[in-house]
């Protein structure tokens, strides 16, 4: 008997991964060691920091994607997060499902997520970085859900032991890095380093443990379908298997992001694209899977408060450079995107270009 591959996972032919991978020679690798200068920075920029800011600016402009080393997150903290993730996904399906997400709580374990209406070959565990995280109610607008807010709380599994502690520690360390990257991005836009911090009071950031099991038909399916991250920034840890592909801006080719030990991958999200009024663009990416090895990754999605109205920063627009976007509410955007990942919808997934002004 030939086992049928579940059609829910099958990508349209034009979105399937090609058998040959293009190795990403050009993705910028940035050494963050000059970051400690940021703390001392009051007046004019110190030379080391100036070079770093120029590197971040070029990487955001040309790729929207870069890798960082010497980022200040202790290797032992990352190691404990990997161990927690491996331990969790090694539990029996029944154990994992004890913390399964549902229509009421979107946090916890989930194995049936869609990207652009095609099922992803993955399972995830989500938790918010600050509890409770306040977001608009996921209910339909029709039932009055549009006006209601809900408080999200994490569902922690009983096993593996030390899971929660390891991940809380990881969240604290990566959040610190997220704020430093935000300061760097502000500097690249010629703004004061802390210009964007206020948006992250009451932040809705969350961390996801991704597990991509070996896939019998890796040429038909994707671990995560092509997408752009909706938030401000993503800080991603990946293991040594490889599979993350980013769309190269110069020629539209999918290129593989090489795993580098003790590094993080940073990508610009849609919000930074809008804030920067298109100086930067969020990069399209996806995850290819393989038939041999399972893969793990841990993205930190750095998201502002639900009530933040996202629009090009006032300092960057004037009569000669008008705003390219209408403002939109982050919480509503996030909710609409989440709903479409949760179930298949007829309507197209919400995208920032829906807020683009017509000229
Ligand atoms: C994501 C994502 C990449 C990866 O979860 O949004 O793009 O390598 N993950 O797992
Ligand atoms: Ni992503």
């Amino acid at each position: 008997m030939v086992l049928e591959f579940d059609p829910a996972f099958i990508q349209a032919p034009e979105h399937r991964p090609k058998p040959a991978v293009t190795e990403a020679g050009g993705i910028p690798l940035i050494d963050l060691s000059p970051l400690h200068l940021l703390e001392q920075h009051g007046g004019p920029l110190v030379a080391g920091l100036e070079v770093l800011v120029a590197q971040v600016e070029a990487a955001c402009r040309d790729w929207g994607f870069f890798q960082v080393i010497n980022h200040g997150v202790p290797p032992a903290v990352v190691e404990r997060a990997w161990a927690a993730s491996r331990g969790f996904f090694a539990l029996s399906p029944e154990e994992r499902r004890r913390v399964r997400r549902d229509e009421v709580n979107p946090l916890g374990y989930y194995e049936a997520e869609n990207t652009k209406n095609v099922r992803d070959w993955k399972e995830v565990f989500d938790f918010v970085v600050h509890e409770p995280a306040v977001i608009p109610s996921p209910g339909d607008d029709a039932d009055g859900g549009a006006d209601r807010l809900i408080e999200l709380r994490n569902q922690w599994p009983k096993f593996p032991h030390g899971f929660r502690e390891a991940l809380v520690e990881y969240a604290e360390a990566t959040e610190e890095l997220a704020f430093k990257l935000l300061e760097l991005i502000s500097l690249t836009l010629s703004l004061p380093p802390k210009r964007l911090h206020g948006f992250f009071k009451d932040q809705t950031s969350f961390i996801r443990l991704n597990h991509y099991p070996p896939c019998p038909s890796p040429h038909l399916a994707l671990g995560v379908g092509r997408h752009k991250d909706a938030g401000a920034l993503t800080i991603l840890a990946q293991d040594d298997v490889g599979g993350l592909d980013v769309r190269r801006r110069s020629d539209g080719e999918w290129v593989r992001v090489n795993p580098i030990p003790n590094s993080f991958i940073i990508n610009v999200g849609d919000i930074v694209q809008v804030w920067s009024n298109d100086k930067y663009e969020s990069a399209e990416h996806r995850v290819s899977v393989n038939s041999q090895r399972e893969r793990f990754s841990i993205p930190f999605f750095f998201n502002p408060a639900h009530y933040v109205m996202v629009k090009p920063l006032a300092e960057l627009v004037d009569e000669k450079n008008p705003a390219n976007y209408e403002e939109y509410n982050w919480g509503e955007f996030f909710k609409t995107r989440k709903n479409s990942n949760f179930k298949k919808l007829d309507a197209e997934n919400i995208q920032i270009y829906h807020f683009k002004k017509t000229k």
Side-chain angles (χ1 to χ4, degrees), residues 39-62:
E39 272 112 66
Q40 307 155 15
H41 169 55
L45 278 190
V46 228
L49 192 54
E50 220 159 54
V51 171
L52 175 58
V53 171
Q55 288 172 335
V56 171
E57 179 174 15
C60 290
R61 192 189 55 216
D62 302 338

PDB file of all heavy atoms in Angstrom, residues 39-62:
ATOM      1  N   GLU A  39      25.514  51.864  26.249  1.00  0.00           N
ATOM      2  CA  GLU A  39      25.158  52.274  27.598  1.00  0.00           C
ATOM      3  C   GLU A  39      25.851  53.575  27.994  1.00  0.00           C
ATOM      4  O   GLU A  39      25.322  54.389  28.727  1.00  0.00           O
ATOM      5  CB  GLU A  39      25.514  51.187  28.608  1.00  0.00           C
ATOM      6  CG  GLU A  39      24.399  50.189  28.797  1.00  0.00           C
ATOM      7  CD  GLU A  39      24.739  48.814  28.259  1.00  0.00           C
ATOM      8  OE1 GLU A  39      25.647  48.190  28.817  1.00  0.00           O
ATOM      9  OE2 GLU A  39      24.102  48.373  27.297  1.00  0.00           O
ATOM     10  N   GLN A  40      27.079  53.744  27.466  1.00  0.00           N
ATOM     11  CA  GLN A  40      27.830  54.949  27.841  1.00  0.00           C
ATOM     12  C   GLN A  40      27.495  56.118  26.927  1.00  0.00           C
ATOM     13  O   GLN A  40      27.933  57.233  27.130  1.00  0.00           O
ATOM     14  CB  GLN A  40      29.332  54.671  27.728  1.00  0.00           C
ATOM     15  CG  GLN A  40      29.773  53.448  28.481  1.00  0.00           C
ATOM     16  CD  GLN A  40      31.037  52.856  27.888  1.00  0.00           C
ATOM     17  OE1 GLN A  40      31.730  53.482  27.116  1.00  0.00           O
ATOM     18  NE2 GLN A  40      31.336  51.624  28.273  1.00  0.00           N
ATOM     19  N   HIS A  41      26.717  55.824  25.898  1.00  0.00           N
ATOM     20  CA  HIS A  41      26.496  56.823  24.863  1.00  0.00           C
ATOM     21  C   HIS A  41      25.560  57.928  25.335  1.00  0.00           C
ATOM     22  O   HIS A  41      24.405  57.716  25.622  1.00  0.00           O
ATOM     23  CB  HIS A  41      25.919  56.154  23.620  1.00  0.00           C
ATOM     24  CG  HIS A  41      25.407  57.110  22.605  1.00  0.00           C
ATOM     25  ND1 HIS A  41      26.184  58.111  22.083  1.00  0.00           N
ATOM     26  CD2 HIS A  41      24.198  57.227  22.020  1.00  0.00           C
ATOM     27  CE1 HIS A  41      25.467  58.790  21.218  1.00  0.00           C
ATOM     28  NE2 HIS A  41      24.256  58.284  21.160  1.00  0.00           N
ATOM     29  N   GLY A  42      26.085  59.135  25.438  1.00  0.00           N
ATOM     30  CA  GLY A  42      25.255  60.275  25.780  1.00  0.00           C
ATOM     31  C   GLY A  42      25.311  61.276  24.653  1.00  0.00           C
ATOM     32  O   GLY A  42      24.332  61.552  23.972  1.00  0.00           O
ATOM     33  N   GLY A  43      26.497  61.748  24.387  1.00  0.00           N
ATOM     34  CA  GLY A  43      26.698  62.778  23.380  1.00  0.00           C
ATOM     35  C   GLY A  43      26.952  62.200  22.008  1.00  0.00           C
ATOM     36  O   GLY A  43      26.221  61.328  21.555  1.00  0.00           O
ATOM     37  N   PRO A  44      28.002  62.682  21.340  1.00  0.00           N
ATOM     38  CA  PRO A  44      28.279  62.217  19.990  1.00  0.00           C
ATOM     39  C   PRO A  44      28.632  60.731  19.978  1.00  0.00           C
ATOM     40  O   PRO A  44      29.142  60.202  20.958  1.00  0.00           O
ATOM     41  CB  PRO A  44      29.488  63.053  19.553  1.00  0.00           C
ATOM     42  CG  PRO A  44      29.897  63.873  20.718  1.00  0.00           C
ATOM     43  CD  PRO A  44      28.986  63.631  21.854  1.00  0.00           C
ATOM     44  N   LEU A  45      28.323  60.058  18.886  1.00  0.00           N
ATOM     45  CA  LEU A  45      28.550  58.614  18.800  1.00  0.00           C
ATOM     46  C   LEU A  45      30.024  58.254  18.897  1.00  0.00           C
ATOM     47  O   LEU A  45      30.865  58.872  18.266  1.00  0.00           O
ATOM     48  CB  LEU A  45      28.012  58.088  17.475  1.00  0.00           C
ATOM     49  CG  LEU A  45      26.531  57.808  17.420  1.00  0.00           C
ATOM     50  CD1 LEU A  45      26.194  57.057  16.146  1.00  0.00           C
ATOM     51  CD2 LEU A  45      26.116  56.967  18.613  1.00  0.00           C
ATOM     52  N   VAL A  46      30.276  57.216  19.673  1.00  0.00           N
ATOM     53  CA  VAL A  46      31.638  56.724  19.778  1.00  0.00           C
ATOM     54  C   VAL A  46      31.956  55.952  18.489  1.00  0.00           C
ATOM     55  O   VAL A  46      31.061  55.376  17.882  1.00  0.00           O
ATOM     56  CB  VAL A  46      31.776  55.760  20.976  1.00  0.00           C
ATOM     57  CG1 VAL A  46      32.987  56.109  21.806  1.00  0.00           C
ATOM     58  CG2 VAL A  46      30.535  55.766  21.830  1.00  0.00           C
ATOM     59  N   ALA A  47      33.228  55.950  18.124  1.00  0.00           N
ATOM     60  CA  ALA A  47      33.607  55.397  16.823  1.00  0.00           C
ATOM     61  C   ALA A  47      33.122  53.953  16.610  1.00  0.00           C
ATOM     62  O   ALA A  47      32.532  53.620  15.590  1.00  0.00           O
ATOM     63  CB  ALA A  47      35.108  55.481  16.644  1.00  0.00           C
ATOM     64  N   GLY A  48      33.334  53.067  17.603  1.00  0.00           N
ATOM     65  CA  GLY A  48      32.971  51.656  17.460  1.00  0.00           C
ATOM     66  C   GLY A  48      31.487  51.481  17.210  1.00  0.00           C
ATOM     67  O   GLY A  48      31.063  50.643  16.418  1.00  0.00           O
ATOM     68  N   LEU A  49      30.723  52.291  17.883  1.00  0.00           N
ATOM     69  CA  LEU A  49      29.274  52.196  17.759  1.00  0.00           C
ATOM     70  C   LEU A  49      28.824  52.708  16.397  1.00  0.00           C
ATOM     71  O   LEU A  49      27.901  52.173  15.791  1.00  0.00           O
ATOM     72  CB  LEU A  49      28.620  52.995  18.884  1.00  0.00           C
ATOM     73  CG  LEU A  49      27.131  52.803  19.100  1.00  0.00           C
ATOM     74  CD1 LEU A  49      26.786  51.338  19.290  1.00  0.00           C
ATOM     75  CD2 LEU A  49      26.672  53.594  20.319  1.00  0.00           C
ATOM     76  N   GLU A  50      29.518  53.728  15.921  1.00  0.00           N
ATOM     77  CA  GLU A  50      29.167  54.291  14.617  1.00  0.00           C
ATOM     78  C   GLU A  50      29.303  53.246  13.507  1.00  0.00           C
ATOM     79  O   GLU A  50      28.448  53.147  12.624  1.00  0.00           O
ATOM     80  CB  GLU A  50      30.093  55.466  14.308  1.00  0.00           C
ATOM     81  CG  GLU A  50      29.382  56.613  13.649  1.00  0.00           C
ATOM     82  CD  GLU A  50      30.160  57.908  13.822  1.00  0.00           C
ATOM     83  OE1 GLU A  50      31.358  57.910  13.464  1.00  0.00           O
ATOM     84  OE2 GLU A  50      29.580  58.881  14.327  1.00  0.00           O
ATOM     85  N   VAL A  51      30.359  52.456  13.575  1.00  0.00           N
ATOM     86  CA  VAL A  51      30.573  51.402  12.577  1.00  0.00           C
ATOM     87  C   VAL A  51      29.446  50.369  12.669  1.00  0.00           C
ATOM     88  O   VAL A  51      28.872  49.947  11.661  1.00  0.00           O
ATOM     89  CB  VAL A  51      31.952  50.723  12.784  1.00  0.00           C
ATOM     90  CG1 VAL A  51      32.098  49.496  11.897  1.00  0.00           C
ATOM     91  CG2 VAL A  51      33.073  51.718  12.535  1.00  0.00           C
ATOM     92  N   LEU A  52      29.107  49.988  13.892  1.00  0.00           N
ATOM     93  CA  LEU A  52      28.036  49.010  14.099  1.00  0.00           C
ATOM     94  C   LEU A  52      26.705  49.534  13.553  1.00  0.00           C
ATOM     95  O   LEU A  52      25.966  48.805  12.874  1.00  0.00           O
ATOM     96  CB  LEU A  52      27.928  48.694  15.599  1.00  0.00           C
ATOM     97  CG  LEU A  52      26.791  47.771  16.018  1.00  0.00           C
ATOM     98  CD1 LEU A  52      26.871  46.436  15.298  1.00  0.00           C
ATOM     99  CD2 LEU A  52      26.820  47.555  17.531  1.00  0.00           C
ATOM    100  N   VAL A  53      26.402  50.779  13.835  1.00  0.00           N
ATOM    101  CA  VAL A  53      25.144  51.364  13.352  1.00  0.00           C
ATOM    102  C   VAL A  53      25.108  51.339  11.827  1.00  0.00           C
ATOM    103  O   VAL A  53      24.088  50.990  11.215  1.00  0.00           O
ATOM    104  CB  VAL A  53      24.952  52.801  13.907  1.00  0.00           C
ATOM    105  CG1 VAL A  53      23.773  53.502  13.236  1.00  0.00           C
ATOM    106  CG2 VAL A  53      24.741  52.755  15.415  1.00  0.00           C
ATOM    107  N   ALA A  54      26.241  51.630  11.197  1.00  0.00           N
ATOM    108  CA  ALA A  54      26.295  51.603   9.729  1.00  0.00           C
ATOM    109  C   ALA A  54      26.070  50.185   9.204  1.00  0.00           C
ATOM    110  O   ALA A  54      25.394  49.987   8.183  1.00  0.00           O
ATOM    111  CB  ALA A  54      27.641  52.142   9.248  1.00  0.00           C
ATOM    112  N   GLN A  55      26.604  49.189   9.914  1.00  0.00           N
ATOM    113  CA  GLN A  55      26.402  47.790   9.483  1.00  0.00           C
ATOM    114  C   GLN A  55      24.933  47.390   9.601  1.00  0.00           C
ATOM    115  O   GLN A  55      24.380  46.739   8.715  1.00  0.00           O
ATOM    116  CB  GLN A  55      27.243  46.844  10.349  1.00  0.00           C
ATOM    117  CG  GLN A  55      28.730  46.921  10.053  1.00  0.00           C
ATOM    118  CD  GLN A  55      29.543  46.105  11.058  1.00  0.00           C
ATOM    119  OE1 GLN A  55      29.114  45.878  12.191  1.00  0.00           O
ATOM    120  NE2 GLN A  55      30.719  45.670  10.636  1.00  0.00           N
ATOM    121  N   VAL A  56      24.306  47.783  10.722  1.00  0.00           N
ATOM    122  CA  VAL A  56      22.896  47.432  10.925  1.00  0.00           C
ATOM    123  C   VAL A  56      22.033  48.137   9.876  1.00  0.00           C
ATOM    124  O   VAL A  56      21.114  47.548   9.295  1.00  0.00           O
ATOM    125  CB  VAL A  56      22.447  47.789  12.362  1.00  0.00           C
ATOM    126  CG1 VAL A  56      20.943  47.628  12.527  1.00  0.00           C
ATOM    127  CG2 VAL A  56      23.188  46.917  13.377  1.00  0.00           C
ATOM    128  N   GLU A  57      22.372  49.375   9.595  1.00  0.00           N
ATOM    129  CA  GLU A  57      21.608  50.134   8.595  1.00  0.00           C
ATOM    130  C   GLU A  57      21.676  49.440   7.230  1.00  0.00           C
ATOM    131  O   GLU A  57      20.649  49.221   6.574  1.00  0.00           O
ATOM    132  CB  GLU A  57      22.158  51.558   8.485  1.00  0.00           C
ATOM    133  CG  GLU A  57      21.409  52.370   7.447  1.00  0.00           C
ATOM    134  CD  GLU A  57      21.835  53.837   7.431  1.00  0.00           C
ATOM    135  OE1 GLU A  57      22.890  54.161   8.008  1.00  0.00           O
ATOM    136  OE2 GLU A  57      21.107  54.641   6.830  1.00  0.00           O
ATOM    137  N   ALA A  58      22.875  49.061   6.808  1.00  0.00           N
ATOM    138  CA  ALA A  58      23.036  48.410   5.499  1.00  0.00           C
ATOM    139  C   ALA A  58      22.294  47.073   5.465  1.00  0.00           C
ATOM    140  O   ALA A  58      21.635  46.732   4.480  1.00  0.00           O
ATOM    141  CB  ALA A  58      24.522  48.207   5.190  1.00  0.00           C
ATOM    142  N   ALA A  59      22.377  46.313   6.575  1.00  0.00           N
ATOM    143  CA  ALA A  59      21.729  44.993   6.620  1.00  0.00           C
ATOM    144  C   ALA A  59      20.207  45.128   6.553  1.00  0.00           C
ATOM    145  O   ALA A  59      19.533  44.371   5.856  1.00  0.00           O
ATOM    146  CB  ALA A  59      22.138  44.250   7.890  1.00  0.00           C
ATOM    147  N   CYS A  60      19.664  46.104   7.282  1.00  0.00           N
ATOM    148  CA  CYS A  60      18.205  46.311   7.273  1.00  0.00           C
ATOM    149  C   CYS A  60      17.757  46.767   5.889  1.00  0.00           C
ATOM    150  O   CYS A  60      16.713  46.350   5.399  1.00  0.00           O
ATOM    151  CB  CYS A  60      17.795  47.354   8.308  1.00  0.00           C
ATOM    152  SG  CYS A  60      17.974  46.796  10.000  1.00  0.00           S
ATOM    153  N   ARG A  61      18.551  47.600   5.263  1.00  0.00           N
ATOM    154  CA  ARG A  61      18.185  48.166   3.964  1.00  0.00           C
ATOM    155  C   ARG A  61      18.288  47.110   2.854  1.00  0.00           C
ATOM    156  O   ARG A  61      17.395  46.947   2.047  1.00  0.00           O
ATOM    157  CB  ARG A  61      19.124  49.335   3.676  1.00  0.00           C
ATOM    158  CG  ARG A  61      18.732  50.222   2.506  1.00  0.00           C
ATOM    159  CD  ARG A  61      19.856  51.195   2.202  1.00  0.00           C
ATOM    160  NE  ARG A  61      21.100  50.467   1.981  1.00  0.00           N
ATOM    161  CZ  ARG A  61      22.311  50.895   2.362  1.00  0.00           C
ATOM    162  NH1 ARG A  61      22.451  52.030   3.006  1.00  0.00           N
ATOM    163  NH2 ARG A  61      23.385  50.167   2.112  1.00  0.00           N
ATOM    164  N   ASP A  62      19.383  46.361   2.842  1.00  0.00           N
ATOM    165  CA  ASP A  62      19.638  45.462   1.717  1.00  0.00           C
ATOM    166  C   ASP A  62      18.989  44.083   1.865  1.00  0.00           C
ATOM    167  O   ASP A  62      18.690  43.438   0.872  1.00  0.00           O
ATOM    168  CB  ASP A  62      21.152  45.270   1.520  1.00  0.00           C
ATOM    169  CG  ASP A  62      21.858  46.605   1.276  1.00  0.00           C
ATOM    170  OD1 ASP A  62      21.169  47.552   0.857  1.00  0.00           O
ATOM    171  OD2 ASP A  62      23.075  46.689   1.520  1.00  0.00           O
TER     172      ASP A  62
END
